[in-house]
């Protein structure tokens, strides 16, 4: 296997060009990131846009309606437990909910990126590729840029919901559930709500980047990158049908 770090130096592509290339010419973007693993631009773009759209959502949402809608999705609670949960949620101010919604979403995204980068760093270290955590963190951030399509979709959804009665599950129009994949099984519905087309696009880009950086087969790249997702989906599906 060719050492992944032994590549011919190229001229810096620039942040905007790299962002465009990651979507239309990924191989060029991966070459750029292998040499110059920048992180701040994609990290700031994703996190700040997420914070902004969640701030807007919790500003316009009908708070009382939101509580009822959220509790409607909770299963295995009797009427008394639901009333207790409703009273506890209602005792919190809308500002508190806003801050919780904003920062929980941002922290969740960041944790996923860190875990994914750590996993790829570990697998590549076993392969002796020479790629460090910072390189993989950069790759994961840049291949996450398709998520911006979901942000744009959420902006459009909020703008078209002036009455504030917008479920958090309906916020992203590009999830599989909102694109028509529905199920009477609540666990499967949760899976469809958590997977979006930009997410799948980003995973595909990560597979391509892994393959290029490690000069390995497509099958190996797919196996390594997809393994955690398939494991998680398998566990989720197990509990969905048991």
């Amino acid at each position: 296997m060719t050492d992944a770090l032994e590549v011919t130096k190229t001229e810096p592509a620039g942040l905007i060009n790299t962002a465009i290339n990651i979507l239309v010419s990924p191989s060029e973007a991966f070459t750029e990131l292998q040499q110059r693993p920048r992180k701040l631009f994609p990290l700031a773009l994703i996190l700040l846009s997420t914070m902004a759209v969640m701030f807007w959502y919790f500003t316009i949402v009908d708070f009382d309606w939101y509580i009822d809608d959220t509790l409607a999705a909770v299963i295995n609670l009797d009427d008394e437990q639901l009333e207790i949960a409703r009273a506890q949620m209602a005792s919190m101010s809308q500002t508190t909910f806003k801050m919780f919604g904003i920062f929980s979403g941002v922290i969740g995204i960041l944790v996923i990126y860190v875990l994914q980068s750590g996993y790829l760093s570990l697998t590549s270290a076993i392969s002796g590729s020479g790629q460090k955590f910072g390189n993989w963190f950069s790759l994961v951030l840049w291949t996450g840029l398709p998520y911006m399509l979901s942000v744009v979709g959420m902006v459009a959804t909020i703008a078209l919901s002036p009455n504030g009665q917008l479920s958090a599950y309906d916020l992203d129009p590009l999830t599989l559930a909102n694109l028509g994949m529905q199920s009477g099984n609540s666990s499967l519905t949760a899976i469809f709500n958590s997977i979006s087309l930009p997410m799948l696009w980003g995973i595909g880009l990560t597979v391509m980047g892994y393959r290029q950086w490690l000069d390995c087969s497509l099958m190996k790249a797919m196996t390594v990158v997809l393994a955690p997702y398939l494991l998680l989906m398998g566990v989720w599906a197990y509990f969905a049908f048991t």
Side-chain angles (χ1 to χ4, degrees):
M1 180 183 299
T2 303
D3 190 331
L5 293 179
E6 293 180 359
V7 294
T8 302
K9 286 290 184 180
T10 60
E11 291 295 321
L15 296 174
I16 301 302
N17 284 337
T18 302
I20 294 173
N21 285 339
I22 203 72
L23 303 177
V24 301
S25 183
S27 62
E28 294 183 27
F30 298 148
T31 299
E32 169 70 15
L33 296 176
Q34 190 173 5
Q35 299 174 34
R36 289 168 283 271
R38 299 185 178 97
K39 309 171 189 67
L40 183 58
F41 176 77
L43 180 63
L45 184 61
I46 291 171
L47 296 189
L48 291 178
S49 63
T50 300
M51 292 177 66
V53 75
M54 295 310 296
F55 178 87
W56 188 16
Y57 172 67
F58 282 103
T59 297
I60 65 96
V61 73
D62 183 327
F63 190 45
D64 293 331
W65 182 90
Y66 173 82
I67 292 175
D68 291 335
D69 181 69
T70 300
L71 292 176
V74 179
I75 60 175
N76 299 326
L77 291 182
D78 57 32
D79 292 341
E80 182 179 355
Q81 291 172 321
L82 282 174
E83 285 303 319
I84 293 174
R86 181 177 289 105
Q88 291 175 336
M89 293 178 69
S91 67
M92 301 171 62
S93 69
Q94 189 163 358
T95 300
T96 301
F97 259 98
K98 183 186 298 183
M99 293 301 101
F100 178 79
I102 292 171
F103 289 106
S104 62
V106 168
I107 292 173
I109 291 174
L110 187 57
V111 168
I112 291 173
Y113 286 158
V114 169
L115 290 176
Q116 188 178 8
S117 304
Y119 166 73
L120 293 176
S121 177
L122 177 62
T123 57
S124 64
I126 294 173
S127 303
S129 73
Q131 299 287 354
K132 305 298 183 184
F133 174 85
N135 296 77
W136 292 113
F137 190 50
S138 175
L139 180 69
V140 167
L141 291 173
W142 284 94
T143 57
L145 286 185
Y147 170 73
M148 296 305 299
L149 294 176
S150 284
V151 171
V152 173
M154 287 187 275
V155 168
T157 301
I158 294 172
L160 295 173
S161 303
N163 66 356
Q165 295 187 354
L166 174 62
S167 173
Y169 298 111
D170 297 331
L171 190 56
D172 182 357
L174 298 179
T175 63
L176 298 186
N178 289 331
L179 289 172
M181 294 188 68
Q182 301 292 334
S183 172
N185 185 293
S186 60
S187 295
L188 282 179
T189 298
I191 292 177
F192 296 151
N193 276 317
S194 65
I195 299 176
S196 68
L197 292 186
M199 175 185 174
L200 297 176
W201 188 357
I203 293 173
L205 288 173
T206 305
V207 170
M208 295 169 63
Y210 189 94
R211 181 188 184 192
Q212 181 172 322
W213 280 14
L214 269 67
D215 191 25
C216 63
S217 67
L218 177 61
M219 182 58 67
K220 178 179 179 179
M222 291 179 62
T223 300
V224 171
V225 174
L226 297 180
Y229 297 97
L230 295 177
L231 177 62
L232 181 60
M233 292 298 104
V235 172
W236 211 332
Y238 171 79
F239 287 105
F241 294 104
T242 56

